[in-house]
Amino acid sequence: MTSLLAIKDQDTMLEGVLHWINVNMPRFCTPNELDCVDEHPEKISADLSRKAFTELGLALRFAQKSKKVRNHALYETIKKKWINNIEENAFFYDTKKRLQLFPHRLLAFATLKSFGIENQEVKYNLETVMNGGYMDRVERSAWEKLDMKYYVEMAGLKNQFPSYDQLYKASTLHNLPRISAAQNIDFYGLTHLIFHLSDFSEKDMKEMFEEKYEDIQEYIDATLCFCLMEQDWDLVLELLINQYCLRKNFAEIDVSAAEAIKGIQQSEGFIPGRDWVKEYHSTSNFKKNAHSFEDVYHPTVLALFLLTLESKAA
């Protein structure tokens, strides 16, 4: 498997992505959990910053696999800011009661563990929640269970989830929906299932998918074409990462999609989201660097995942 982009293009994109993330770290940082002590724990849910913070953590954890990325000065700066947020904003406060925040705290713990930081009190509190049987109960979807199983095992915690093979066979990957009837949520379900079943390309999916491998590969190819035409850069990035996860021999459509991502990256370093694309096509005198954090943070974080895979393959 070769990379999708030339090394100089990878380097330029990486510089922009890390620059934008570093400049916008205050937006990634979470509220101080001690400010919520008067709220009932069941009413405290994951807001944008909590979601963005833990997704960035997952990307930083994965980026350590690339020598080029982990040795970048901006990567180390961002990593330090991310760790500081944990301490400064009491990130793990009241873990056993604030159950809606459990997945985000699980991810943050696993990320810290990958950095060589393991808080035993936090681990005990996470284990206590898992032992209560709330997180692995039966009525969750296969997608939800698989996500949670992956994060729990990243954190090194025991669980009662079904096996990965059982979850795969209970998921939409085993019974693919018609693309013409599928919605974005269906595509995200598929991409995340492939992310975690493959451990972001570490596992050979041909062994698990067996005779369905070719059908799944063709489905991802067709969905990539559709999302590229829609200029849905967030899903294009997820699907390109899927191509790595499936260990595909890249075709022209994959290279074209990667080139399109390179071309759409803005001078500030971010990758546009759906709102930016809509405004770009509907507003005269549109300012390309005008954007909202909510719209662009996710495709930009995804670009860090893709560039990590690219630098590993180069």
Side-chain angles (χ1 to χ4, degrees):
M1 180 186 293
T2 57
S3 58
L4 292 162
L5 294 169
I7 292 177
K8 66 176 183 178
D9 292 330
Q10 294 175 29
D11 293 345
T12 300
M13 280 195 70
L14 179 64
E15 193 71 32
V17 164
L18 292 176
H19 169 77
W20 185 88
I21 291 173
N22 185 47
V23 168
N24 287 275
M25 275 305 293
R27 299 296 306 277
F28 281 99
C29 290
T30 57
N32 193 312
E33 297 297 337
L34 298 178
D35 293 339
C36 307
V37 292
D38 293 331
E39 295 183 49
H40 193 285
E42 291 183 10
K43 294 183 178 180
I44 301 174
S45 59
D47 61 358
L48 173 64
S49 64
R50 289 183 177 103
K51 182 173 180 287
F53 179 75
T54 49
E55 288 171 336
L56 175 59
L58 187 59
L60 294 174
R61 177 185 181 275
F62 184 67
Q64 294 177 105
K65 294 179 180 290
S66 163
K67 182 178 180 181
K68 177 189 292 186
V69 180
R70 70 172 181 265
N71 288 341
H72 197 292
L74 279 177
Y75 170 84
E76 191 60 31
T77 299
I78 293 165
K79 175 182 167 182
K80 288 178 180 177
K81 290 179 180 179
W82 192 93
I83 294 171
N84 287 341
N85 177 76
I86 297 282
E87 299 175 357
E88 292 172 359
N89 290 316
F91 185 84
F92 291 110
Y93 178 77
D94 210 14
T95 289
K96 289 189 284 187
K97 293 182 179 178
R98 299 184 182 185
L99 295 182
Q100 293 193 64
L101 303 182
F102 181 82
H104 304 83
R105 295 182 175 192
L106 190 63
L107 264 176
F109 175 79
T111 299
L112 287 172
K113 186 177 179 181
S114 76
F115 296 155
I117 303 169
E118 186 169 350
N119 185 310
Q120 292 302 314
E121 181 181 356
V122 172
K123 182 179 181 180
Y124 172 78
N125 289 335
L126 292 170
E127 286 176 332
T128 300
V129 174
M130 286 302 302
N131 291 339
Y134 173 74
M135 291 299 160
D136 47 10
R137 59 188 183 181
V138 295
E139 60 265 30
R140 298 185 187 278
S141 70
W143 173 13
E144 289 177 299
K145 289 179 182 178
L146 185 62
D147 277 2
M148 190 67 71
K149 179 180 176 69
Y150 183 73
Y151 301 147
V152 166
E153 295 185 357
M154 271 175 46
L157 305 181
K158 296 179 181 179
N159 65 87
Q160 298 297 319
F161 289 111
S163 69
Y164 284 113
D165 187 63
Q166 288 173 309
L167 289 171
Y168 156 60
K169 289 177 179 175
S171 75
T172 53
L173 268 177
H174 203 257
N175 186 23
L176 294 165
R178 286 184 295 113
I179 290 179
S180 60
Q183 299 180 352
N184 281 348
I185 189 66
D186 300 305
F187 297 145
Y188 281 113
L190 293 171
T191 57
H192 280 240
L193 287 163
I194 293 173
F195 290 162
H196 297 152
L197 285 170
S198 71
D199 190 14
F200 289 96
S201 81
E202 293 296 317
K203 298 177 182 177
D204 187 352
M205 288 294 90
K206 287 184 179 179
E207 294 180 6
M208 176 174 286
F209 295 161
E210 297 179 330
E211 74 279 358
K212 286 190 174 287
Y213 176 87
E214 293 299 330
D215 290 340
I216 292 170
Q217 180 64 81
E218 289 177 6
Y219 193 95
I220 296 301
D221 290 344
T223 306
L224 177 59
C225 290
F226 173 75
C227 292
L228 188 56
M229 289 188 294
E230 292 285 306
Q231 296 183 19
D232 188 333
W233 305 119
D234 196 65
L235 273 169
V236 167
L237 279 158
E238 295 225 353
L239 291 158
L240 283 175
I241 296 168
N242 271 184
Q243 301 290 43
Y244 264 104
C245 293
L246 293 169
R247 300 184 180 180
K248 182 189 179 186
N249 291 321
F250 297 131
E252 184 177 349
I253 182 61
D254 306 307
V255 176
S256 296
E259 289 288 339
I261 292 292
K262 180 194 75 173
I264 202 63
Q265 185 181 31
Q266 297 304 300
S267 60
E268 289 189 6
F270 68 87
I271 308 297
R274 295 183 184 92
D275 291 344
W276 187 98
V277 171
K278 182 179 178 181
E279 289 295 315
Y280 175 72
H281 289 293
S282 63
T283 305
S284 59
N285 300 317
F286 178 69
K287 296 180 180 179
K288 289 187 175 182
N289 275 325
H291 64 282
S292 71
F293 176 82
E294 183 174 6
D295 184 47
V296 308
Y297 90 83
H298 194 256
T300 306
V301 168
L302 285 173
L304 181 54
F305 273 99
L306 181 64
L307 290 166
T308 299
L309 288 163
E310 284 280 275
S311 61
K312 286 175 62 184

